[in-house]
Amino acid sequence: MMNDDLDRVVPLDQLDDFKVADGDPDVRGWEVVGSDGRKIGEVDQLLVDTAAMKVRYLDVDVDNGLVAGATDTSDRHVLIPIGYARLDDG
């Protein structure tokens, strides 16, 4: 029986034995901006590959204004592969 690789990708807040490494920024709550400078949303969660012990995706809570037909009660999220993210801690 083969393991599904996605079974090992888990939100950081569900992992008691995992934390952001000392010296690395915890980007949860940070604003996410597209390459065109427009705000996309905010980092809600870090998705961790438990086998590799690395963050693989940013779970981004998308701003309602970016989603056609979204209401104030809409809760839309997208996953952004960590390799496509560039941190700007300024």
Side-chain angles (χ1 to χ4, degrees), residues 39-69:
K39 182 179 177 196
I40 295 170
E42 187 174 284
V43 177
D44 183 51
Q45 194 54 252
L46 304 175
L47 297 178
V48 177
D49 178 336
T50 57
M53 297 185 63
K54 293 183 178 182
V55 173
R56 294 293 187 200
Y57 300 96
L58 301 175
D59 176 356
V60 176
D61 186 3
V62 178
D63 281 356
N64 287 338
L66 289 180
V67 181

Side-chain angles (χ1 to χ4, degrees), residues 21 30 32:
W30 283 27
V32 177

